[in-house]
Amino acid sequence: MDFLSAIKSIAGEECIFCNEMMSDHTTFKVGGPAKYFVVPYRAEDIKKYILAAEEYKIPYYVIGNGSNLLVSDKGYDGMIIMLGRDLGNITVNGDMITAEAGTSLARLFNTARRHSLSGLEFAAGIPGTLGGACYMNAGAYGGEMKDVLTKVVTIDRQGNTHEYKQGEMELSYRNSIFIRKQEIILSAEMKLCKGDVEKMTHKVNELLEKRKEKQPLEYPSAGSTFKRPEGDFAGRLIEECGLKGKGINGAEVSEKHAGFIVNLGGSAADILALIALVQDKVYAKSGIRLEPEILVLGEE
């Protein structure tokens, strides 16, 4: 049996796509074909896909909404596992919410709000899934996932599941133990607190309006392109270099917020070239080497 036959046997042909364009699955709207692209319907199938990939020595990568990802124009010569809506079950028990990794952060907040639970307002406008948010310790407007997470369940490359409690996740700015160990997040548990629905709604509407006003949401991007350097802001350093509006073909440093690189019809290569140019210019002027916040997949 070859690898394609092996993964088809796991959950049926309707879950498997060959040469799937990654530009359809990332918020940057660029990226070439993934050789294999699978969409698990059940959490238990993830383990089977991983073990098949390990057996056949096929590289693989797990994505959610593709909101923090830049895929090469050449694509990915391996298997993409997309954790989507079919892995988006949510349960609420008192002030605790447990959800699968494919749950969108917007849906997670709306569920919390329906149960008068506060603590996820910061995440309502982040265009990602719970798995990616835990993996990167996503945050916005003063809140981070580490503020609410109490337990995360993962699977490693040998198919073993692990459970991490609050003090074991090594959550810091855009970092976690899950990145270090390269484990896949299956689900997470969060502890929230009772809140006033009207106040929660008002706060989220304020944050969404602020996001719309200050961020270039009208163009494809992957959110903030660079991590915040200690004691400073990437956007300020980039703007100080006069790079607002700087473009390479269809990639451009946003006129609205210099911390964002937007895609106006360019390629992954254009975006990567602009990232490198920004890094070099900022380093030359400030001595600070900006570190990309987005993840890059595939070879140019």
Side-chain angles (χ1 to χ4, degrees):
M1 184 182 294
D2 61 12
F3 177 68
L4 183 57
S5 299
I7 58 175
K8 283 182 177 180
S9 71
I10 292 170
E13 292 193 22
E14 67 275 11
C15 300
I16 316 299
F17 305 88
C18 292
N19 298 315
E20 180 75 4
M21 292 300 293
M22 291 305 296
S23 55
D24 294 331
H25 301 284
T26 64
T27 56
F28 252 137
K29 303 300 180 186
V30 295
K35 189 171 185 179
Y36 309 104
F37 187 92
V38 299
V39 185
Y41 288 159
R42 302 167 300 188
E44 55 265 32
D45 290 339
I46 299 171
K47 176 178 179 178
K48 296 174 185 177
Y49 287 131
I50 289 171
L51 293 179
E54 292 288 341
E55 179 183 350
Y56 286 88
K57 295 181 169 46
I58 301 293
Y60 61 91
Y61 192 82
V62 178
I63 69 170
N65 195 45
S67 58
N68 200 46
L69 184 65
L70 177 62
V71 180
S72 161
D73 298 312
K74 293 181 180 178
Y76 183 63
D77 190 25
M79 177 174 64
I80 295 290
I81 304 173
M82 187 180 82
L83 307 187
R85 288 176 295 180
D86 292 305
L87 294 172
N89 292 319
I90 305 174
T91 58
V92 181
N93 183 13
D95 61 358
M96 307 294 289
I97 289 187
T98 302
E100 290 184 300
T103 307
S104 76
L105 294 177
R107 180 166 166 256
L108 188 64
F109 163 73
N110 285 328
T111 300
R113 178 170 55 180
R114 284 199 303 272
H115 289 81
S116 301
L117 293 174
S118 176
L120 286 169
E121 290 85 341
F122 75 90
I126 298 175
T129 56
L130 177 61
C134 295
Y135 193 76
M136 294 289 292
N137 184 30
Y141 299 112
E144 292 179 294
M145 291 305 298
K146 71 179 180 63
D147 301 332
V148 295
L149 285 173
T150 54
K151 183 174 73 176
V152 170
V153 178
T154 70
I155 185 169
D156 65 24
R157 290 181 175 268
Q158 288 71 49
N160 303 309
T161 56
H162 303 272
E163 186 177 291
Y164 294 89
K165 297 293 178 63
Q166 192 171 41
E168 301 170 335
M169 303 179 203
E170 299 178 9
L171 298 172
S172 58
Y173 178 66
R174 304 301 177 263
N175 207 352
S176 70
I177 195 172
F178 318 121
I179 294 176
R180 180 167 66 79
K181 292 194 171 185
Q182 293 293 291
E183 293 179 3
I184 298 165
I185 292 166
L186 300 178
S187 65
E189 176 190 83
M190 292 144 282
K191 181 176 175 59
L192 306 178
C193 60
K194 281 295 179 181
D196 181 275
V197 172
E198 190 174 325
K199 288 181 179 177
M200 291 162 58
T201 302
H202 179 70
K203 180 177 181 181
V204 166
N205 287 340
E206 276 191 338
L207 294 180
L208 291 177
E209 191 59 38
K210 187 182 293 185
R211 187 182 289 268
K212 183 179 178 181
E213 177 189 337
K214 295 187 175 182
Q215 298 180 9
L217 303 181
E218 63 272 28
Y219 300 115
S221 77
S224 298
T225 306
F226 301 98
K227 293 181 180 179
R228 185 178 66 240
E230 189 173 349
D232 213 324
F233 295 95
R236 190 196 71 78
L237 292 169
I238 296 166
E239 187 171 352
E240 196 175 67
C241 292
L243 292 172
K244 259 191 173 181
K246 175 66 179 178
I248 294 181
N249 297 324
E252 184 179 283
V253 176
S254 169
E255 292 273 14
K256 186 181 284 188
H257 190 312
F260 286 65
I261 288 177
V262 295
N263 175 25
L264 306 181
S267 65
D270 297 332
I271 295 167
L272 285 170
L274 187 54
I275 287 172
L277 183 148
V278 168
Q279 287 177 306
D280 289 345
K281 294 286 188 182
V282 169
Y283 183 74
K285 186 173 181 64
S286 69
I288 296 172
R289 172 66 65 175
L290 293 178
E291 182 181 351
E293 184 171 317
I294 59 175
L295 303 170
V296 179
L297 187 63
E299 298 293 330
E300 282 300 324

